[in-house]
Amino acid sequence: MKIAVLPGDGIGPEIMAEALKVLKALDLDLEFEHGLVGGAAYDIVGEPLPAATLRLARAADALMFGAVGGPQYDTLPRAKRPEQAILGLRKELGLFANLRPAIVYAELADASTIRADVVAGLDLLILRELTGDVYFGQPRGVRTLEGGEREGYDTMRYTESEVRRIAHAGFRAAMKRGRKLCSVDKANVLETSQFWRDVVVEVAREYPQIELSHMYVDNAAMQLIRNPGQFDVIVTGNLFGDILSDEASMLTGSIGMLPSAALDENGKGLYEPIHGSAPDIAGKGVANPLATILSAAMMLRYSLNQDAAADRIEAAVRKVLAQGLRCADISQDGRQTVGTSAMGDAVLAALRA
Ligand code: NAD
């Protein structure tokens, strides 16, 4: 299995090194090939997503992505900015399903701004459709109406095939987890949402093992705070998913702990921590590598079909947290604070124990 490794900028290379340490310690036939991406690529070849990187990405079975961006690139023309690399990879590889787990480890429940008894043990996954909806729907624009008043407008639309493929991705993800899928929409108001719901119900016939439910997005926003433990997998459109996935990540309160994935129709995916390149701490050896290590576990589960190896990595992460090891971002009073590579080494040791 061929993995494209794209460390990127800032803390990207530091956290990626730890994830690779862990992946290489598994007894799997994985081949790693590194590519330039983001500002690191711009500095060398003048493009955030060079053609060679795209070739590498196309040929790989899965991609490990660090982070891109930095203040030195903020004044570049938009097309040259590091963040364009992510958009380009999503588009070129057809990565339409964004997977964002929100997991609260018992030991870190106090890091959340929500009461610990509400979030303790939380383990949910949000699947957000990434390439359709009101973000891309045409027509859109600003026009002047008869009488001279101006109006801004966008178009919410989903084709049947777009809903079908994200619904399938949702059901497949639920099969790998707790077998519960909640589809979030606004079917009481929006035609697009009623259509979404109808198509999800049709697709559900192929997955009799999965318990399907539906929820309006306003209620979902409330339930995520009130009782997040009720959810296993949530599937939703681009706009609602954008908002709900950020809300869900805040339940955990620890940005350095959260992995994510963007998948194509065949399960090939790009795996990355949800955080950015953290230029404020880059090069200091203090970045938390656990989100990237957990992204590697997701890659094994969702793209490479190595569920047992994914379980091993996740168990190793739980173990180091239980041992009291913390990077500075999740450290609380009296805990042992370790740097990036010491955290990676600890996960490695737990994996081998
Ligand atoms: P950020 O996620 O990089 O950092 C926000 C805060 O969280 C910072 O204080 C940072 O030190 C801390 N932090 C982030 N990851 C951490 C980790 N693993 N361990 C410890 N602390 C961590 O967000 P930002 O500061 O808004 O953005 C910085 C740069 O990253 C910008 O150029 C932005 O465009 C880019 N960015 C990239 C991605 C991506 O590559 N997918 C995502 C978001 C932001």
Side-chain angles (χ1 to χ4, degrees):
M1 293 171 284
K2 196 165 164 184
I3 318 291
V5 179
L6 310 177
D9 308 321
I11 60 171
E14 301 167 42
I15 53 180
M16 185 63 78
E18 302 311 312
L20 292 182
K21 253 190 215 172
V22 171
L23 282 169
K24 285 175 182 170
L26 299 165
D27 199 13
L28 295 173
D29 190 14
L30 302 176
E31 198 183 299
F32 300 94
E33 198 171 329
H34 287 246
L36 287 169
V37 78
Y42 174 81
D43 287 342
I44 294 174
V45 293
E47 294 291 337
L49 181 57
T53 301
L54 202 50
R55 271 199 303 278
L56 168 66
R58 287 209 172 96
D61 297 302
L63 292 81
M64 283 292 297
F65 190 95
V68 294
Q72 67 272 45
Y73 307 111
D74 285 351
T75 50
L76 290 175
R78 190 159 295 281
K80 300 285 184 188
R81 297 225 191 128
E83 292 78 6
Q84 291 302 312
I86 305 176
L87 300 177
L89 283 167
R90 277 185 193 162
K91 182 162 170 276
E92 295 297 327
L93 300 179
L95 305 174
F96 72 94
N98 186 207
L99 273 64
R100 291 257 300 251
I103 299 170
V104 175
Y105 297 90
E107 297 82 5
L108 300 182
D110 286 338
S112 176
T113 52
I114 307 293
R115 262 191 1 240
D117 63 304
V118 175
V119 296
L122 180 73
D123 181 359
L124 64 84
L125 175 69
I126 297 194
L127 245 97
R128 165 189 171 196
E129 202 286 335
L130 266 186
T131 59
D133 206 349
V134 68
Y135 290 0
F136 296 94
Q138 294 291 341
R140 59 191 288 158
V142 177
R143 62 192 165 199
T144 304
L145 302 171
E146 259 177 62
E149 193 186 10
R150 287 183 303 150
E151 174 188 62
Y153 60 100
D154 295 274
T155 306
M156 178 177 275
R157 59 199 318 160
Y158 264 118
T159 63
E160 180 174 351
S161 57
E162 285 173 328
V163 182
R164 274 186 185 279
R165 64 180 189 176
I166 188 75
H168 277 292
F171 284 107
R172 282 197 301 264
M175 293 284 279
K176 292 212 170 240
R177 296 176 38 103
R179 303 201 163 192
K180 275 168 58 183
L181 181 67
C182 178
S183 170
V184 169
D185 60 38
K186 189 73 183 169
N188 49 345
V189 178
L190 299 171
E191 298 295 332
T192 314
S193 270
Q194 183 59 55
F195 174 69
W196 168 286
R197 189 178 282 214
D198 295 345
V199 175
V200 171
V201 168
E202 284 168 30
V203 174
R205 295 192 192 112
E206 296 176 44
Y207 302 89
Q209 315 88 327
I210 303 292
E211 181 189 326
L212 173 67
S213 61
H214 305 274
M215 196 178 277
Y216 299 136
V217 63
D218 43 343
N219 188 26
M222 198 169 71
Q223 295 299 330
L224 273 174
I225 302 294
R226 198 184 74 82
N227 177 19
Q230 70 187 283
F231 296 109
D232 176 25
V233 181
I234 291 175
V235 65
T236 190
N238 204 344
L239 172 64
F240 301 153
D242 191 359
I243 299 162
L244 293 182
S245 59
D246 269 17
E247 185 190 359
S249 68
M250 273 315 297
L251 293 171
T252 74
S254 39
I255 195 176
M257 295 291 305
L258 293 176
S260 76
L263 301 186
D264 78 359
E265 224 145 336
N266 304 311
K268 172 171 170 170
L270 178 151
Y271 295 82
E272 59 171 337
I274 70 159
H275 60 72
S277 57
D280 53 333
I281 56 167
K284 296 185 179 159
V286 298
N288 187 349
L290 292 179
T292 314
I293 290 171
L294 292 167
S295 299
M298 281 187 86
M299 173 179 77
L300 293 168
R301 177 169 296 116
Y302 292 105
S303 284
L304 304 181
N305 239 342
Q306 300 290 332
D307 293 50
D311 290 344
R312 278 185 66 201
I313 294 180
E314 288 164 356
V317 168
R318 283 179 199 278
K319 199 162 161 188
V320 300
L321 293 173
Q323 285 163 358
L325 264 68
R326 305 281 185 270
C327 285
D329 62 321
I330 52 169
S331 148
Q332 289 146 357
D333 291 347
R335 294 291 185 178
Q336 192 185 346
T337 302
V338 297
T340 311
S341 67
M343 185 56 103
D345 289 343
V347 174
L348 208 59
L351 196 69
R352 288 178 169 149

